[in-house]
């Protein structure tokens, strides 16, 4: 079905899961869209089937906590970051099949706030509050590369795995060739703003033409070829500077974002016109993503919703 304003206005909350006792801090769909994994501040990982609409598994990580959860290229393994305190800032490669850590990735000296899995191979980037971005490979626990960027870094791959972007302090955004990032960025730009921007989330559009970058009070749409700001979305609530996720629809025609008032805001990507506000959550919606394979959206506050 083709996405239109009318289709979006007809969508409603189809299923609500109240399996968590604290905020859901990350969600991710598997590549085939058949599974969704969530991580929460209650130190749990939940796996859901989008086919049956049922929870399949729950795993607890009481020792490390869990954050920034991401599927790898299989449906039975995920990457996640630590959440509990400053004593351990490692990344962990977790088997969902038997609840076993396959590998630890140690090197960051402060909390990891961004995690991006390559869409084409076993490499991934992590960005942390220790002013570093690190390149890893699932097959070895040794760091494969390091870039120093001040402030809170956000890292994102394009959907072909050829380019990655890093947004960091100074309102800067830099684009790199994945195979030769040691040579430095091939494009650097500064996003114009009246105040310093702290990036919280970043994603490429599915066609690779745009980059979506979120802050606590605005979402920016950048042209990935020139770095120019194409659009700015601001009519959402974030009085407490929560980390709110924004995502492209599968056809890139719409942008969806969470909001602290429990709503989900939807805009036309290029015009910035608000199309719809979905209501149904009882708390701040920090995570929201489109299913890559079907007409479905998942969102989370302390509960998880399927639209």
């Amino acid at each position: 079905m083709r996405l239109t304003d009318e289709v979006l206005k007809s969508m409603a909350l189809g299923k609500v899961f109240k399996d968590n006792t604290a905020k859901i801090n990350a969600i991710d769909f598997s590549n085939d869209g058949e599974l969704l994994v969530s991580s929460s501040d209650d130190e749990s990982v939940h796996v859901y089937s989008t086919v049956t609409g049922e929870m399949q598994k729950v795993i607890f990580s009481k020792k490390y906590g869990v954050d920034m959860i991401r599927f790898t290229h299989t449906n039975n393994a995920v990457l996640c970051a630590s959440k509990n305190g400053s004593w351990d800032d490692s990344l962990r490669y977790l088997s969902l099949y038997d609840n076993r850590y396959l590998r630890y990735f140690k090197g960051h000296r402060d909390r990891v706030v961004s995690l991006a899995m390559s869409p084409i191979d076993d490499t991934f980037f992590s960005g942390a509050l220790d002013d570093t971005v690190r390149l890893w490979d699932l097959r070895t626990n040794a760091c494969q590369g390091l870039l120093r960027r001040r402030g809170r870094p956000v890292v994102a791959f394009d959907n072909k795995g050829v380019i990655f972007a890093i947004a960091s302090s100074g309102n800067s955004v830099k684009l790199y060739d994945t195979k030769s990032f040691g040579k430095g960025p091939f494009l650097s730009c500064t996003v114009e703003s009246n105040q310093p921007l702290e990036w919280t989330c970043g994603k490429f559009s599915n066609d690779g033409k745009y980059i979506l970058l979120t802050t606590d009070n605005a979402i920016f749409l950048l042209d990935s070829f020139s770095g120019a700001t194409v659009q700015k979305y601001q009519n959402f609530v974030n009085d407490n500077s929560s980390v709110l996720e924004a995502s492209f629809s599968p056809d890139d025609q719409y942008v969806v974002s969470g909001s602290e008032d429990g709503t989900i805001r939807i805009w036309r990507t290029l015009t910035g016109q608000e199309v719809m506000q979905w209501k149904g959550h009882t708390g701040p919606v920090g995570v929201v993503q489109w299913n890559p394979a079907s007409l479905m959206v998942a969102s989370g506050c302390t509960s998880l919703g399927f639209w």
Side-chain angles (χ1 to χ4, degrees):
M1 180 183 291
R2 179 173 172 267
L3 270 181
T4 64
D5 292 3
E6 288 70 29
V7 170
L8 291 171
K9 291 175 182 178
S10 71
M11 293 176 67
L13 195 58
K15 184 104 179 188
V16 177
F17 302 90
K18 298 182 178 181
D19 301 315
N20 295 103
T21 60
K23 179 185 74 174
I24 297 171
N25 54 47
I27 59 174
D28 195 38
F29 283 102
S30 58
N31 290 336
D32 59 14
E34 293 186 356
L35 294 177
L36 180 136
V37 65
S38 71
S39 58
S40 170
D41 287 355
D42 64 11
E43 302 170 336
S44 70
V45 173
H46 287 79
V47 182
Y48 299 88
S49 169
T50 64
V51 178
T52 65
E54 301 294 333
M55 185 184 74
Q56 287 194 339
K57 180 174 289 190
V58 58
I59 298 170
F60 289 96
S61 180
K62 296 293 185 182
K63 181 177 180 180
Y64 301 102
V66 60
D67 197 3
M68 307 301 303
I69 199 154
R70 301 286 186 271
F71 271 108
T72 58
H73 295 298
T74 67
N75 289 6
N76 58 10
V78 294
L79 281 169
C80 58
S82 302
K83 184 78 174 181
N84 287 348
S86 59
W87 65 274
D88 188 299
D89 297 299
S90 63
L91 298 161
R92 300 184 310 286
Y93 184 19
L94 171 65
S95 168
L96 298 175
Y97 174 74
D98 54 5
N99 189 19
R100 179 171 60 92
Y101 290 122
L102 304 175
R103 189 161 285 117
Y104 295 82
F105 304 93
K106 296 181 180 291
H108 284 299
R109 298 179 181 273
D110 207 337
R111 185 165 63 93
V112 173
V113 293
S114 184
L115 195 57
M117 185 78 208
S118 169
I120 60 171
D121 58 30
D122 287 333
T123 60
F124 64 96
F125 278 101
S126 59
L129 298 179
D130 60 3
D131 297 335
T132 67
V133 172
R134 291 176 179 264
L135 174 66
W136 309 89
D137 191 305
L138 290 175
R139 296 165 292 186
T140 175
N141 58 10
C143 179
Q144 304 295 297
L146 185 146
L147 293 167
R148 298 193 181 278
R149 291 291 176 268
R150 297 188 64 84
R152 181 189 179 110
V154 164
V155 193
F157 273 104
D158 77 329
N159 68 342
K160 294 182 179 179
V162 176
I163 295 168
F164 70 93
I166 300 177
S168 55
S169 65
N171 300 3
S172 73
V173 180
K174 298 181 184 295
L175 270 64
Y176 298 80
D177 186 310
T178 303
K179 293 183 178 180
S180 57
F181 68 88
K183 297 179 181 179
F186 64 83
L187 176 67
S188 299
C189 65
T190 301
V191 178
E192 292 187 10
S193 175
N194 295 328
Q195 59 187 11
L197 299 172
E198 182 175 80
W199 309 110
T200 56
C201 178
K203 297 179 182 180
F204 275 86
S205 59
N206 296 292
D207 61 12
K209 294 180 180 179
Y210 302 102
I211 305 172
L212 198 63
L213 291 168
T214 64
T215 69
D216 60 354
N217 59 15
I219 304 167
F220 293 85
L221 180 73
L222 305 186
D223 185 303
S224 62
F225 296 97
S226 67
T229 299
V230 177
Q231 194 52 259
K232 186 178 180 180
Y233 319 94
Q234 285 186 290
N235 51 329
F236 58 91
V237 179
N238 196 12
D239 295 334
N240 297 306
S241 298
S242 300
V243 174
L244 303 178
E245 183 176 24
S247 302
F248 288 102
S249 61
D251 62 3
D252 296 323
Q253 297 303 304
Y254 297 92
V255 168
V256 61
S257 169
S259 181
E260 275 193 345
D261 62 357
T263 64
I264 296 172
R265 310 296 176 102
I266 305 173
W267 301 273
R268 289 180 183 169
T269 301
L270 294 181
T271 67
Q273 177 186 351
E274 185 176 281
V275 175
M276 187 66 187
Q277 292 185 21
W278 288 341
K279 299 179 180 179
H281 283 282
T282 57
V285 181
V287 293
V288 57
Q289 286 187 23
W290 291 84
N291 188 314
S294 65
L295 186 63
M296 172 193 174
V297 173
S299 57
C301 53
T302 55
S303 60
L304 178 71
F306 284 177
W307 302 81

